[in-house]
Amino acid sequence: MSEEIIVLNPATGQEIDRVKKESKADIDKKIEKAHETFKKFKKKNPHDRSALLTEWSKLIGEHKEEIAELITKENGKPLQESRGEVDYARSYVDYYAEEAKRVYGRTIPPHEDDVRMVVTKQPIGVVAAITPWNFPIAMMARKAAPAVAAGCTFLVKPASATPLSAMKFLDLALEAGFDEGVVQYVTASGKDAGEAFTESDKVMKITFTGSTAVGKSLMEGAASTVKNITMELGGHAPLVVHKDADIDMAVEQAIASKFRNSGQTCVCANRFYVHEDIADAFSKKFADASKKLKMGNGLDEDVAIGPMINEDGYDKVMRHINDAEEKGGKILTGGKGSKDEGYFIEPTVITGATDEMVIMNEETFGPVAPIQTFSTLDEAIEKANDTEYGLAAYFFTESYRDGIKLQEGLDFGVLGWNNGKPSAAQIPFGGLKESGMGREGGPEGIEPYLETKITSMRV
Ligand code: SIN
């Protein structure tokens, strides 16, 4: 009997479905198929590839509600957020349907009279992706759409916690008319998929969104065949509120940043630095707004905070809360969790955070906001940068001078100035330092799927 992956609803602990756990041999067959299909697909006219993406987008729109429900059931995020994720995923498909037609080369003025120099771009080949459970379809869309727009064939291993929405999403690509070998999924263990992808000399590119630890091991594996890689890894985002900030706006945007997907995104604000002059006012308003967020099963329309994905996620967040409390943090709201049925943790705001607390040093991936005060902007920038991560950072100030100082001083790839929701298909999303390499989204997001050739011709 073949092994199975059991998919659970994190809001109830109940089984939703089972999918076959594929072996390394199964994955190798799919890589072979992607390799064979690439020989034909790379020659498909970019306008035809664009039309296929447009048809896929249309089908995603038609199945929005069904996919959103699947996301909420297997991931736990509130239905409104799941609908938002379907729109977000679709926006990548739409964006790269256009970019497929804009893969330009160039000519270079030669240094010899009888020479002509031409730069051309071509698809890199078979792309293998590993995608996370926190955005089961959006993180896949921002890899799949530019890959096929460029003319690559695409193989993805969705997270074992959330394969159902990902499978549905890719089935729609086939329904839209992509050949079977152009987009495929494998439902396997991360270890088997990682090994099969990195060891194969037919896979030309690995693209991964997930933890820094797993990213490092994939990078090591990819080194043996010198594969092209894109890595979107962990974050530990600081959120700085300066003394002249519009406090109401900062609270509203900080709520959006902190509690999206119950704090389970790589770009969620993880540590707050608030100027001492406004710290009490900000903390009180932020705690009051956090308290109003209803926690529960994401299928209920008015729920804003769903469960943690699993027991490990729950235990980690509770460890961060308990450690902060033991080290003198004051809980303004929340602080309690329950794993009797599902893995729920109240939206939590902690003041008096210090540098020694685990939560100020590690990614939490949960609905907890620790607040520390600062007196000078230099101090805030230094603390914000004191991490091996460099994905997202947020800052709130009405002053253009201080804003530019923060914008230039913060070592992060995605910055939100008076904005807690910077993500969009048209921006180049990605991190510095151990948060990864490469960018996804925007015109930059198709480049990693293209090879550049220079042809120098004597005429
Ligand atoms: C992530 O959590 O990795 C990405 C979130 C986003 O695209 O905004």
Side-chain angles (χ1 to χ4, degrees), residues 299-375:
L299 290 175
D300 298 339
E301 289 283 353
D302 54 348
V303 158
I305 298 282
M308 300 295 94
I309 188 70
N310 56 28
E311 189 165 13
D312 283 352
Y314 173 93
D315 289 345
K316 179 179 188 191
V317 179
M318 289 310 294
R319 181 166 62 80
H320 282 202
I321 296 176
N322 295 336
D323 172 81
E325 219 181 347
E326 275 161 25
K327 291 180 179 149
K330 182 173 166 220
I331 297 192
L332 281 196
T333 187
K336 294 199 184 59
S338 152
K339 51 178 173 178
D340 295 344
E341 191 186 307
Y343 306 101
F344 289 96
I345 297 178
E346 294 172 343
T348 300
V349 179
I350 303 173
T351 52
T354 60
D355 295 344
E356 292 68 43
M357 292 175 181
V358 177
I359 197 164
M360 299 303 275
N361 296 286
E362 278 179 26
E363 185 176 32
T364 307
F365 242 59
V368 190
I371 300 177
Q372 185 177 141
T373 59
F374 68 87
S375 49

